Amino acid sequence: MSQLRSGASAPRSPFPLLPLRTGVLFPGTVLTLPVGRARSVALLNAVHAGDVIGVIAQRDPKREDPRREDLHDIGTFARIVDVTRVSNGFRLVIEGLDRFALTALVDTDAEPFWRAEGAVAPEFLGDAEEARLLAASLRERAREIGPKLATNLAEIAAASRAEPGLLADQIAGALGLPTDKEIEVLAELRVVPRLQRVAALLSEAAALADLKKKIDSDVRRELGKGQREAILREQLRAIQKELAGGAEGEDELSILRRRLDEAGLPEEARAVADRELRRLESVGPQSAEHNVIRTYLEWIADLPWSARAAVKDDLDAVQAKLDADHRGLDDVKRRILEHMAVLKLTGQPRATILCFAGPPGVGKTSLGQSIADATGRPFVRISLGGVHDEAELRGHRRTYVGALPGRIVHALKKAKVKNPVVLLDEVDKLGAGWRGSPEAALLEVLDPEQNRTFVDHYMELPFDLSEVVFLCTVNDLGALSAPLRDRLEVIELSGYTPDEKIAIARSHLVPKQLEEHAIDPALLAITDDALAAIVRDYTREAGVRQLGREIKKLCRAVALEVARAADGKAARVVVEAHDLGKYLGKVRFFSDVAERTSVPGVATGLAWTPVGGDILFIETSRMPGKGRVEITGQLGDVMKESARAALSYVRSHAGELGVDTAKLEAEDLHIHVPAGGVPKDGPSAGVTMFTALTSLLSGRRVRSDTAMTGECTLRGRVLPVGGIKSKVLAAHRAGITRVVLPQKNARDAEEIPKEVRAEMELIFVEDMSQVLAAALEEAPIEAAGASGAGVPAAEPATAA
């Protein structure tokens, strides 16, 4: 049995073991600790004062029943000095004797408390003279630093005559070190490195004590300065009140000061506000500058520097709100939900900038209101149509008379929180004037990397816009500059199908108009056939705005009948499709595709416009002449070049297409696109022009149920174009059942609603010969004077 430093014998293995959740017992120190774990209490019930046990630290303090791998390798043999029972367990006083190396734990499940196997861990003195000198230096350093650390370190250093290794243990135990650093000292069996490590830890503790003392001194000085300023401010307020006789202006100043105190201003804004307050106090109320300063301070107090709305992140609630407010738009809703899900998972207040692009009347603005309602944020709309002055957005500098902040700051003041939903409506309608470009002013507002420090020219203070959910709406993305478009996450809204329009009218538009016209829903019934006829014959739009106007007109007519009814007892009105002429007038739209394409040389194309898709007729004619080509219809350069490219392809493949080249030299050709008052441009009419020219020169009519779009090359390849969903919906509205599309646009067909795809035949082509095979009738008509030669057999086109 080995002897410990104190002369006591080390306990025989296996010996009782007491694991410590935190802290370390050093040899030569006394430790008092509470004991409450069941197995530890069982140990204390089995030992007495004077017994020796093992004490060791746990690696994880949360482990209730530690195993061998949960304990450190070096512990301390300890003599039990005192055991006292308290209300929640025991209070144990132990004295550290010497280190031991833990070998193993006895089967802990069979024992009421922990038992361990191990032996005394011998120290390695090394160079005795070096150890003695280090110990003397450490003792002297501890005497100097002890008073700073508010411990008994100085007394320990003065009274201790212990050997060098034990001195290092006693000083380490008095420093109150974190457990991990105490373990480092305990595990060091070499005396000289242990002394060096403790000396370094002692210097760190002294430096931390000096730093804490300086911080405490600075805090007390600042508190004293603040209290002094508050007292002087109260005294100054009382003096001014006496001098002014309790004037109303003084009361307003007090209220303004209180509002600034409650606004939660950041440090920079607080400094500016205090400076302006001092200026306001020094100028009289009769001064013109007084009102300028006061207005500026009121704006600072009104802005939501720290106020936030409680944001709801229930994605199911957001989806339910979107479904309740908007019919269809499934892709748009999914993208919005994906965006909200990312915000919920990341929890980052990074600015969110979505851009809803689409024709008028499809619900872009109302989507913003729905997002705000579903997430619990205030909603503010900023209309940018016609804005042509940068100061409208960023404000005027205070050097101007009547200067005010810009619309962004006005929106934040209206919202009263710093995380609202702000809708920038009609961004593509911004203008540019000699006062600067307002679109360029939006670059900072809509850049997530920059808008944390947005500065309004009037406020001249940085305001954090990173928590604002910015939404933009545009009709035409092409009108935006490249830098601005790069900052936006674009979500396109192409329009509604007729079935969706009828459902929207039934669930939203009709109830709204009945309520606005004070008509009892029991007095008016509009059949589905009537709604379908309104959609088909009285409106031709991507959205539902004109449909709402027609229903409003219908309700006005019924309201007149109700108002004229005797005794207010009006008969119930049921509006059928054949009754619409009585209420809405003559039919406005009808399909003239069959009529226009009844002769060769006319083809139906599809176009995209800022207000949605539309059908486009390409008309061609031939007349005696000298081989010249005339192109009319207010076409842009790209569209004119498409016409020339199509004609070049027809001439170069005249034999294959059944075209007499001799006649081409003796005849002039005229290509015209109707609606000549509307400018038109783009490459997507190339296929349509080629088909119209081939139809004219070969005498084969274009099928009346077919429309087409795509760009053509001189080699006869069909290239992809944009706006496929809008164009197909436009064809569907016009009653067309077959659409010829580029093969590379096949992936875009997935965006087309299923009910529209079920009613239409989508034909995907890669070559001009496939276009002709799909679009032209088989035999030429005699009146066209064509050669009668048919088009050679082409590879079958791919149909969707």
Side-chain angles (χ1 to χ4, degrees), residues 481-537:
S481 65
L484 180 58
R485 182 171 179 177
D486 183 61
R487 285 162 166 79
L488 306 176
E489 180 176 349
V490 178
I491 299 178
E492 294 189 5
L493 291 77
S494 300
Y496 298 107
T497 65
D499 291 341
E500 289 175 342
K501 291 181 180 180
I502 294 172
I504 292 171
R506 180 68 65 198
S507 58
H508 294 285
L509 301 180
V510 172
K512 177 183 177 182
Q513 295 301 328
L514 290 177
E515 181 180 357
E516 289 185 359
H517 292 81
I519 299 176
D520 187 346
L523 295 179
L524 176 62
I526 306 176
T527 64
D528 288 343
D529 290 340
L531 289 175
I534 295 175
V535 170
R536 181 183 64 250
D537 300 333

Side-chain angles (χ1 to χ4, degrees), residues 86-100:
V86 293
S87 59
N88 56 347
F90 288 89
R91 184 175 68 247
L92 175 65
V93 181
I94 51 179
E95 177 187 2
L97 302 177
D98 212 336
R99 291 170 172 79
F100 71 85

Side-chain angles (χ1 to χ4, degrees), residues 60-77:
D60 183 1
K62 297 179 182 179
R63 292 285 294 182
E64 183 69 22
D65 188 12
R67 303 293 179 177
R68 172 62 187 90
E69 62 272 13
D70 300 319
L71 302 175
H72 286 282
D73 298 326
I74 299 295
T76 307
F77 283 126

Side-chain angles (χ1 to χ4, degrees), residues 359-381:
V362 296
K364 299 187 295 295
T365 304
S366 58
L367 271 174
Q369 181 69 64
S370 298
I371 292 174
D373 293 342
T375 57
R377 300 171 183 252
F379 178 74
V380 184
R381 174 179 170 269

